[in-house]
Amino acid sequence: MATNARIVSYARAFAGLFMRDLYVLRREMFPFLIRVAMNPILFLFVFTYIMPHMSGGATLSPTAGSGAGPSFSTILLPGLMAVGIMFSGIAAVALPLAQEFGITREIDDRVMCPLPTGAVAIEKICFSAVQSAIAAAIVYPLAYYIPSTKPITHVTSWPFLIAVVILASLTSGALGLTIGTTVKPQQIGLIFGVVVMPITFLGCVYYPWALLDKMPILQHGVLLNPIVYMSEGLRGALTPALPHMNAALVLLMLLVFLSLLTWLGVKGFLRRVIG
Amino acid sequence: MGTENGHNAIVSIRGLRKTYDGKPPVRAVDGIDLDVHPGEIYGLLGPNGAGKTTTISICTTRALPTAGSVVIDNIDVVKHPSAARRSIGVVPQYNTLDRSCTIWENIHFHCLFFGFSRAEARARTQQLLDQFHLAEKANSYPAQLSGGLAQRVQIARAIAHRPKVLFLDEPSAGLDPQSRIAMWEIVQGLHREGITVVLTTHYMEEADELCNRLAIVDHGRILVEDTPAALKNSVGAQTIYELDLHEPVPDLQQKLGMLSGVTAVEDTPRGIRVLARTCDGLIGDIVSTAQSSGLRDMRVTEPTLETVFIRLTGRDLRE
C-alpha cells in the first residue's frame, strides 16, 4: 500500500475507534457525571462549606488563623481539578482494560483493526484525555460555587491553561494505560489503596508545593509524582496569586511523564495482547 | 512477496515455530508447513493443546512466531500485520463482542474501523443482519444472546469488511448440537460465496462434514494432510463389518479371512467382526460367504477420522 493510502486507512480506523468510544460515553453520560462530580462535591461541601459553618469550626478549618492568607477553597480548586483529571484517566483506561484482559477479551477484537497495535493503545490515551478534560470542566464550577468563601481565580495565560489541561489529561490516560496493563486484573481493586490514594494525597492537591519547604525530603520526594505537576500547573494557570511552580518546568515535566508513561503503557499493552 | 511460498495458495505457512518461555519452555508449534487454496475450507484437526490455536493466532497477527513465515493474500502477516488484517476475519474461541454496544453497533463500528463510510457501513450492517437472520436482534446487547447467536454475530462481524480468509477457532466449542449444525450451514454458505475458511476443531464429525482438506495436528506438528475421504482411506483406516449369526460356524472365520482386503477377523458374542481396508465389492463377498452360515444381520461402520487419529498417535482425540 502506498504511504498516503496507508495513513488514510490508519486515520479512518483510529477515528472509528474514537467514534465508538464517544458513542458509548454519550450513552453512559449519567454514570460518568456522577463519577466525576461526587468526589469534589463531597470534599468541597465538607471542607469548604460545613466546616467554616460549624460552631467553633474555625479551629477545625485547615486554614484556621491564616487570616490574610489564601482561602482553602482557592488552594483546593486547582488541586481538585487535577484529581478529577487523574481519576478520569484511571477510570477510563485502567479499570476497563483490567476487565477486558481478565474477563471479556473484547480487546482482542479491537486489536484486529487495520492499525498498528500500539495505535489502539494510543487511542485509549487520547479518548481518556477527552474524558479528563470534561472532568476538569465539571470540577471548576463546583469548586467555584460550593465553598462559602469563593476562591480567587484569574487566568493570565489561556494558552498555558490549555496546554496544562491537555498535557495533564494525556498524562492521566497514559498513567491509566500503564496501570491497566501492568496490574493483574484480579488486583485492580488494590490500585486505589496502593496508587491512587498516595499520589492524590502526596500530589500537592490540598497544599501548594512551595509550602512544603520546611520538609525538604518530602518536598523533593513528591517531585516523582506526576500529579504534583498537574496541580501546580493548574495553580499557576488559574490561581496565580498562590505560590506555584515555574510554568516552563511544569510543562517540561508533564511532557517527560507523558512520554515515559506512554512508552511503558504501550509496551505493556503490546505484551498483553500479542502472544 | 511470498513467491517462494506455494503459488496459488492464499494462506501459506512455512517452517512455523512458536515456543512459549517458561520452565520448561513450551513448544506449541514445532515446524508447520501448509498451503490453503483460495475458496477451500481447510481444517486443523487435533486434540486440545496440539498447537492449533497458536497457529491461528500467528496467522491472525495476535501472536508472533519464534520462527517461520505466514503469507496471506500475498502479505507477510508478521512483517505487515495491519495491512494483513484487511484480508482476514477472525472468530476466536471466546466471545469478544463489544458488551457496551448493540449487535447493530458491533457490526456497524467494525465497518467504520475498516474505513467504510457511514452510509456504506449502514448498508453492509443491514445486509449482514438479514443474511444471518439477526435483524430481530439488532438492538439487543451481546449479554442477551445465547451462545449460538453470539457466535453468529461474531461470524457476521468478522466478514463485515469482506476479508478473503475467515479464521474460525474451535467454532463449535460450547454450542448445542442444533447451533452447531446452524453454524455449519453458515460456513458452507460462506464457502459458496467464495470465502476461504480456515478452522480448528477437535470434533472429527465437524472436520469431516465441513472441510475440503484438513491437517491432523499433534504436538505442534502436522501428522497428515489430505481430503477427509482420502485420510479415511489411508494409513490403516478400516471398515468394520459386524456380522450377527444364528450360531457359531467353525470355518467361517477362516473363509472370511481369505477374502481380499480383509485384515482381521474376530469373534464377538453375537457372531463375527471383520476388519477390512476399504475396497469395492467386499460387502457382497462377505454377505455371500456368511449367508450359508446363518447370517441374521450385518452392520457396517465406515472408517472415521477418529480411527485415523488413533492409528497415527495411539491416542484418542479427546484425551
Side-chain angles (χ1 to χ4, degrees):
Chain A
M1 230 188 307
T3 316
N4 266 348
R6 192 158 55 201
I7 289 171
V8 170
S9 146
Y10 289 173
R12 298 190 84 153
F14 194 90
L17 287 170
F18 204 84
M19 251 149 54
R20 177 262 166 210
D21 284 346
L22 264 183
Y23 192 86
V24 171
L25 177 66
R26 204 184 60 187
R27 190 154 52 205
E28 291 168 3
M29 207 44 160
F30 185 68
F32 169 73
L33 292 179
I34 295 283
R35 191 182 77 204
V36 167
M38 201 46 94
N39 175 55
I41 286 180
L42 289 173
F43 206 91
L44 290 159
F45 187 61
V46 171
F47 287 98
T48 66
Y49 186 84
I50 297 183
M51 285 209 172
H53 282 86
M54 283 165 100
S55 56
T59 51
L60 292 172
S61 165
T63 50
S66 58
S71 72
F72 188 45
S73 59
T74 307
I75 295 173
L76 269 185
L77 181 134
L80 288 179
M81 283 174 73
V83 172
I85 287 174
M86 181 271 293
F87 196 76
S88 278
I90 308 269
V93 187
L95 303 185
L97 265 186
Q99 193 184 12
E100 294 194 5
F101 285 138
I103 311 159
T104 65
R105 300 300 306 181
E106 284 160 71
I107 195 74
D108 281 28
D109 188 68
R110 225 65 54 73
V111 166
M112 289 308 296
C113 283
L115 195 65
T117 309
V120 176
I122 301 282
E123 189 274 336
K124 288 204 168 281
I125 295 179
C126 293
F127 186 70
S128 159
V130 170
Q131 294 194 42
S132 289
I134 298 175
I138 292 170
V139 174
Y140 182 86
L142 297 176
Y144 193 83
Y145 289 107
I146 294 177
S148 52
T149 311
K150 296 277 168 285
I152 301 153
T153 62
H154 172 65
V155 178
T156 42
S157 163
W158 279 98
F160 177 63
L161 174 64
I162 291 166
V164 168
V165 170
I166 290 176
L167 280 177
S169 299
L170 288 169
T171 306
S172 304
L175 176 69
L177 184 70
T178 304
I179 291 174
T181 55
T182 316
V183 177
K184 285 195 189 124
Q186 47 289 27
Q187 291 170 347
I188 196 72
L190 267 178
I191 280 305
F192 285 89
V194 177
V195 179
V196 176
M197 298 303 271
I199 61 175
T200 306
F201 279 87
L202 300 175
C204 297
V205 168
Y206 311 114
Y207 41 84
W209 181 74
L211 301 189
L212 292 174
D213 55 353
K214 298 275 163 41
M215 296 156 277
I217 295 177
L218 185 65
Q219 192 176 31
H220 290 95
V222 298
L223 292 177
L224 293 173
N225 180 353
I227 313 303
V228 168
Y229 306 98
M230 301 182 192
S231 312
E232 287 290 311
L234 289 167
R235 217 158 258 144
L238 289 167
T239 58
L242 292 182
H244 57 81
M245 271 184 197
N246 175 284
L249 182 72
V250 164
L251 293 181
L252 175 73
M253 288 311 288
L254 282 175
L255 270 175
V256 168
F257 275 105
L258 175 59
S259 316
L260 178 73
L261 291 169
T262 302
W263 178 70
L264 283 174
V266 169
K267 214 171 82 159
F269 187 81
L270 292 178
R271 197 183 58 236
R272 291 296 279 270
V273 298
I274 306 287
Chain B
M1 265 186 298
T3 42
E4 74 275 19
N5 287 359
H7 44 265
N8 295 331
I10 188 146
V11 179
S12 184
I13 302 179
R14 288 292 174 274
L16 195 68
R17 283 171 207 283
K18 174 73 178 178
T19 308
Y20 287 105
D21 294 335
K23 289 176 196 165
V26 180
R27 211 179 276 174
V29 178
D30 192 14
I32 281 186
D33 296 272
L34 63 84
D35 286 318
V36 179
H37 306 307
E40 72 178 347
I41 303 181
Y42 189 95
L44 293 168
L45 174 68
N48 292 329
K52 298 169 299 190
T53 296
T54 305
T55 305
I56 291 239
S57 297
I58 296 170
C59 291
T60 56
T61 74
R62 290 169 306 152
L64 295 171
T66 310
S69 73
V70 178
V71 175
I72 294 179
D73 195 19
N74 293 321
I75 301 167
D76 184 322
V77 304
V78 181
K79 288 189 190 134
H80 307 284
S82 33
R85 286 177 197 143
R86 298 194 157 275
S87 302
I88 54 190
V90 192
V91 179
Q93 275 180 46
Y94 33 81
N95 180 343
T96 62
L97 293 174
D98 189 338
R99 313 292 200 277
S100 314
C101 289
T102 63
I103 303 317
W104 189 89
E105 290 158 3
N106 260 281
I107 301 175
H108 182 73
F109 282 118
H110 182 94
C111 293
L112 294 184
F113 298 161
F114 281 85
F116 286 44
S117 72
R118 279 165 173 263
E120 285 168 337
R122 240 185 316 242
R124 179 67 171 154
T125 305
Q126 195 52 50
Q127 183 215 329
L128 286 166
L129 290 176
D130 293 339
Q131 180 184 345
F132 286 81
H133 309 292
L134 289 164
E136 276 175 30
K137 301 284 178 187
N139 294 318
S140 305
Y141 284 86
Q144 299 166 312
L145 300 185
S146 67
L149 271 181
Q151 203 206 31
R152 213 187 295 168
V153 178
Q154 294 217 82
I155 296 178
R157 184 180 64 173
I159 61 157
H161 59 287
R162 301 190 178 87
K164 297 229 170 82
V165 187
L166 174 65
F167 288 90
L168 301 167
D169 195 4
E170 296 284 352
S172 52
L175 293 190
D176 57 82
Q178 214 177 345
S179 307
R180 185 177 305 163
I181 289 167
M183 185 272 294
W184 289 355
E185 282 166 7
I186 285 174
V187 172
Q188 279 155 345
L190 295 175
H191 174 60
R192 281 192 293 276
E193 284 177 27
I195 297 181
T196 308
V197 179
V198 178
L199 61 88
T200 71
T201 182
H202 63 274
Y203 296 103
M204 49 165 189
E205 308 90 337
E206 183 164 273
D208 203 355
E209 177 77 19
L210 277 181
C211 299
N212 304 122
R213 278 193 317 135
L214 59 92
I216 295 183
V217 186
D218 195 28
H219 298 305
R221 290 164 174 275
I222 291 180
L223 302 176
V224 278
E225 183 202 44
D226 215 325
T227 63
L231 283 176
K232 285 184 291 191
N233 283 326
S234 70
V235 279
Q238 310 213 15
T239 305
I240 299 166
Y241 303 87
E242 297 270 2
L243 311 185
D244 289 358
L245 304 172
H246 282 296
E247 53 198 43
V249 181
D251 58 343
L252 181 60
Q253 264 208 27
Q254 205 182 346
K255 281 191 205 159
L256 287 169
M258 310 261 286
L259 296 174
S260 91
V262 172
T263 54
V265 185
E266 299 165 357
D267 271 324
T268 63
R270 300 165 72 180
I272 281 176
R273 177 184 300 134
V274 179
L275 296 109
R277 289 193 302 280
T278 311
C279 57
D280 289 343
L282 182 61
I283 188 163
D285 294 345
I286 292 177
V287 171
S288 56
T289 310
Q291 209 155 28
S292 54
S293 311
L295 180 67
R296 273 171 50 212
D297 197 5
M298 182 169 83
R299 287 174 304 283
V300 183
T301 310
E302 290 294 327
T304 65
L305 293 171
E306 180 123 29
T307 55
V308 177
F309 186 81
I310 294 167
R311 290 280 159 166
L312 286 170
T313 65
R315 299 201 329 273
D316 197 279
L317 255 177
R318 290 183 186 84
E319 271 172 31

